[in-house]
Amino acid sequence: MGLFSKYSKRTSSKNGEIVVWKNFLLPWQISVNDCGQTTQYTHAMWIDAFKRFHKHKLAEGAKNILMLGLGAGGEISTIHTYFPNSTLTVVEYDEAMVLLTQELGLYKPHPFPTVLLGDAQDIVPTIKETFDLVILDLFLGPEPSPLDTNEEFITQLKQLLKQKGVLLINVYRRSEYLETA
């Protein structure tokens, strides 16, 4: 196995092939259909985004956070580092990703988030609480979800924000997806 200390493949009925690996030099790396979900790159991207939030005081005091798209939970700990004492609710449509998150425990020492299992398009309209920060991180492989350009969906997300709340959308190099927001 070379430098790999752990490597596994699994198949999800919703996401397809999930590859999980770790070697002695790198943290856990998770990809779905050859697209990174939890990687060094995505981790650095989120750290940069949260640092910018704090620099501009956009999400100062964010205590109630909604994240759409769990990945493998690799950024739960990062969220809690930048927003201590926050509560996190996650919408995830693939139970296999929730189980993988629990198995890997990358969220520790922080609490496991409240998970709303189902399609974000169906779940978001049922959410009654409001949030200081909403993170939209939904992808179909390397492409942002079509929900990113759905006006009704973006309006629903904005309605979930508190008065000074912030909507953060990850579009991975596809800035045209931000036009709707």
Side-chain angles (χ1 to χ4, degrees), residues 37-53:
Q37 299 286 311
T38 298
T39 66
Q40 287 180 289
Y41 173 83
T42 57
H43 183 64
M45 177 199 69
W46 285 117
I47 288 174
D48 182 60
F50 297 145
K51 281 181 180 178
R52 289 174 191 239
F53 267 53

Side-chain angles (χ1 to χ4, degrees), residues 16 35 39-40 43-44 49 56 71 77 84 112 119 133 140 142 146 161 179:
C35 181
T39 66
Q40 287 180 289
H43 183 64
H56 298 291
S77 186
F112 191 75
D119 191 309
L133 175 61
L140 300 169
L161 291 171
E179 292 173 14

